[in-house]
Structure formats: C-alpha cells, structure tokens
Amino acid sequence: MNVREYYSYLSAARAQLWNFLRALPPADLDRDLIDSGDRFHNIKDLLLHVTDVEDHWIHGVVLSDSVHQRYPHDWVRPQATQYDLNWILEYSREVSGRTAAFLDSDPDLNRSVKLVQDDPASDTVTLDQLLWNVMTHEVRHTAQIALMIRQLGHTPPWLDYMRFARPQVTPGQASADAPDLDAADPDSDDL
C-alpha cells in the first residue's frame, strides 16, 4: 500500500466519523473524559489536534503554506469546547482537501524534509516518512476517539481499513470465475 491509497482510506474513514459525531449530543463531544491530560480532554480537543498536526507537518513544514492562521486557536492547548463542531470540521476539510490535492500532484516521496526549517542542524526525514507519521498519528487518535464514544455509551462507527478497501479478484478467483472457453457451446454458430 502506498501513501495515496492509505490517505484515501483515512479520508473516507474520517468522513464516516464526522457524520457520526454530528449526530451525537454536543455535550458528549465536550465531556471531559481524559482527566489527567493537560492538553486534550475531550473528543473535540482530539479532532482539532489531529487537524493541527496534519496542517503543521504537511502544509506548514513541507509546503510553507499552513491554513492555521485562518482558524485562530491555541494549538498547544486547544480547549476546543469553545468551538462549534462545524468550525473544527471546516478547518479539517480545508486541511485534508489541500493534503489530497498535494498527494494528487505526485510529489517526490523520497525528497528530504527538514523537521525544523530554521535550524541548519535539524534532522531530516523523507517526505514519505513524514506522511506516514501524520497518518499514523491520526489513526492513534481516532482509536482514542472511538474509545471515548464507547465511554459515552455509544457504539462508534466501523472504521477499519477492510470496510473501505476495494474488493480485488485474486488469480485463483479469476480462473474459477472465468468461462471455460474450450467447452463447446451447442448454441454457437462458430462450430
């Protein structure tokens, strides 16, 4: 699997999660379920954080074109209860749409990316490594959100990769399903 395929899956799973969250009572999205956390306490905090990380790494570090300034908030301690869910999702849609467009541009995934742009001694990774880090980060926090949904007494949507994977015919299936071209068709005029 490659970055573009996996990001497509994440986008589809994200859309399903967002649709589910829109149907929850707003108080559930704001409920403090992570008592010991100093930064993230509820579902909206995590949603906002996931978007901030994608915007920072892909659009800020890689492309030098972050959208964060159009959605002013404290990204270190988001305190997302002050924001409407639709505001968070609008920010997320803009970031993910820009990420999808970037991936569609066929970027050089082997290109080196400095992790700290203004530090000449900064470590570097490949663009591919950075993208996988961003996507893995989202998957981990989506799992936390799913757990929080359960803690609230709801059943989270099924977001596993297999739900979104396109079925593919294996070579064994292809030969079993293919018509036997050697068998004579008694109704055929080609005899």
Side-chain angles (χ1 to χ4, degrees), residues 4 17 21-22 25 51 68 77 94 104 107 116 120 124 130 146 174 176 178:
R4 285 172 203 84
L17 178 62
L21 294 175
R22 281 188 196 100
T51 301
H68 181 267
R77 283 193 170 80
E94 183 170 351
D104 287 345
V116 181
T124 61
L130 185 136

Side-chain angles (χ1 to χ4, degrees), residues 13-186:
R14 189 184 303 130
Q16 290 293 313
L17 178 62
W18 292 351
N19 286 336
F20 181 86
L21 294 175
R22 281 188 196 100
L24 290 181
D28 281 358
L29 302 175
D30 291 336
R31 186 158 297 134
D32 187 350
L33 295 171
I34 305 175
D35 296 330
S36 62
D38 63 336
R39 294 177 60 196
F40 313 118
H41 299 273
N42 56 59
I43 290 172
K44 285 172 35 180
D45 282 348
L46 289 173
L47 286 173
L48 192 53
H49 171 65
V50 165
T51 301
D52 283 337
V53 167
E54 182 173 338
D55 186 43
H56 169 76
W57 285 115
I58 298 172
H59 304 290
V61 172
V62 174
L63 300 172
S64 300
D65 190 24
S66 171
V67 301
H68 181 267
Q69 62 277 12
R70 286 198 294 278
Y71 299 88
H73 65 280
D74 181 354
W75 73 278
V76 175
R77 283 193 170 80
Q79 301 172 352
T81 56
Q82 65 188 307
Y83 305 109
D84 183 71
L85 177 63
N86 290 321
W87 181 87
I88 296 169
L89 298 184
E90 179 62 31
Y91 172 40
S92 298
R93 269 190 295 278
E94 183 170 351
V95 169
S96 60
R98 295 174 93 211
T99 300
F102 172 62
L103 292 174
D104 287 345
S105 75
D106 199 27
D108 177 5
L109 297 176
N110 293 314
R111 142 184 173 196
S112 290
V113 176
K114 285 177 59 171
L115 297 179
V116 181
Q117 298 299 300
D118 60 355
D119 178 2
S122 172
D123 290 332
T124 61
V125 296
T126 66
L127 177 58
D128 189 66
Q129 290 171 316
L130 185 136
L131 292 168
W132 280 106
N133 179 67
V134 168
M135 293 186 302
T136 303
H137 176 265
E138 179 173 349
V139 169
R140 289 180 315 137
H141 284 308
T142 299
Q144 284 181 295
I145 291 169
L147 176 61
M148 294 167 100
I149 291 168
R150 286 193 188 282
Q151 289 174 314
L152 292 165
H154 308 289
T155 302
W158 180 39
L159 302 175
D160 288 356
Y161 175 76
M162 294 308 294
R163 176 172 183 219
F164 301 92
R166 294 186 186 148
Q168 300 198 2
V169 177
T170 63
Q173 289 172 317
S175 61
D177 295 340
D180 185 0
L181 299 177
D182 294 334
D185 180 358

